[in-house]
Amino acid sequence: MSITGFTDIHCHIIPGVDDGAQSMAQAEGMIRLAYNDDTRRIIVTPHYGTSRAKASKDGIIFHFRELMRWTKDNYPEMELFLGQELTYHHGLEEEIRCGNAFTMAGGHYALIEFRPEDDYSRIRQGLQSVQMEGYWPILAHAERCRRLAENIDYVAELVRMGIYIQVNAKSVTGGNGWWCKSCTHKLLKNRLVHFVASDGHDT
């Protein structure tokens, strides 16, 4: 069976659970835009482990199911899967293992973000600790990590370790500023990008 359309692996579309969609109407608008741009699968990734996270695990699941029902009724070709964007902190590995923090679509991939100012040693050690627990880390919007943007050899080392690299589509086009665009184009040129995703927060 052939797979058609795009898969967006990073999107803040569940309404009211973080700094993404703030209403069901806004989430529905995001679904329409994604569908019209030929996206057919979205892994929804509400924030976890940061002040931007506004809902409990149960609250996220409730609103996700509500959005999934609407999507199935209105865009039956569109599939939604539950994940999270996990802000790294000590003990995150245990929280993933216990099911308090979600992996991507219930699989082995985990979308991990760091603060832009985090140094490379913290990024490397954090990703490695998640990896050692048996998960496959995807580094969210790598181009926004200043130390990686300053030295893409660090990114190359992470890739050799088995880390997957995600960049934001807006960074490819320059919407996140010259610095992010320059870094993203270097990463693409050196074949160090595995995923380009929307990181969509609104319409």
Side-chain angles (χ1 to χ4, degrees), residues 99-129:
N100 293 323
F102 301 140
T103 58
M104 304 290 272
H108 283 87
Y109 291 94
L111 183 66
I112 312 292
E113 76 161 345
F114 291 83
R115 295 171 300 178
E117 65 273 14
D118 280 344
D119 60 35
Y120 176 61
S121 62
R122 185 173 193 275
I123 294 171
R124 186 181 187 279
Q125 290 168 11
L127 292 170
Q128 196 169 39
S129 66

Side-chain angles (χ1 to χ4, degrees), residues 29-59:
M30 292 171 71
I31 292 287
R32 289 190 195 96
L33 285 173
Y35 186 88
N36 290 338
D37 281 338
D38 205 28
T39 296
R40 293 295 180 267
R41 290 157 301 279
I42 300 174
I43 302 180
V44 301
T45 52
H47 283 291
Y48 177 87
T50 171
S51 60
R52 290 166 289 177
K54 300 176 183 177
S56 66
K57 174 182 173 180
D58 289 342

Side-chain angles (χ1 to χ4, degrees), residues 11 22 87 93-94 96 117 129-130 132 170 175 186 200 202:
C11 191
Q22 294 304 298
T87 299
E93 307 82 1
E94 176 66 21
I96 297 173
E117 65 273 14
S129 66
V130 172
M132 289 175 66
K170 199 172 180 181
K186 287 178 185 176
D202 53 42

Side-chain angles (χ1 to χ4, degrees), residues 1-147:
M1 183 181 75
S2 62
I3 296 176
T4 60
F6 295 110
T7 300
D8 188 359
I9 71 157
H10 185 173
C11 191
H12 299 267
I13 199 170
I14 304 178
V17 301
D18 62 6
D19 59 346
Q22 294 304 298
S23 68
M24 190 65 178
Q26 190 176 41
E28 291 167 6
M30 292 171 71
I31 292 287
R32 289 190 195 96
L33 285 173
Y35 186 88
N36 290 338
D37 281 338
D38 205 28
T39 296
R40 293 295 180 267
R41 290 157 301 279
I42 300 174
I43 302 180
V44 301
T45 52
H47 283 291
Y48 177 87
T50 171
S51 60
R52 290 166 289 177
K54 300 176 183 177
S56 66
K57 174 182 173 180
D58 289 342
I60 289 171
I61 292 172
F62 174 82
H63 290 294
F64 171 68
R65 288 175 176 168
E66 186 178 50
L67 181 61
M68 194 161 56
R69 281 193 296 269
W70 182 90
T71 303
K72 186 176 181 180
D73 288 343
N74 292 274
Y75 294 92
E77 295 176 34
M78 177 76 85
E79 296 181 275
L80 301 184
F81 303 90
L82 184 57
Q84 272 184 314
E85 180 178 11
L86 311 174
T87 299
Y88 184 77
H89 55 271
H90 180 69
L92 177 63
E93 307 82 1
E94 176 66 21
E95 292 162 24
I96 297 173
R97 188 168 57 249
C98 292
N100 293 323
F102 301 140
T103 58
M104 304 290 272
H108 283 87
Y109 291 94
L111 183 66
I112 312 292
E113 76 161 345
F114 291 83
R115 295 171 300 178
E117 65 273 14
D118 280 344
D119 60 35
Y120 176 61
S121 62
R122 185 173 193 275
I123 294 171
R124 186 181 187 279
Q125 290 168 11
L127 292 170
Q128 196 169 39
S129 66
V130 172
Q131 193 177 43
M132 289 175 66
E133 289 295 326
Y135 301 102
W136 305 335
I138 303 170
L139 176 58
H141 36 64
E143 76 280 8
R144 285 169 43 180
C145 299
R146 292 174 194 157
R147 297 298 175 264

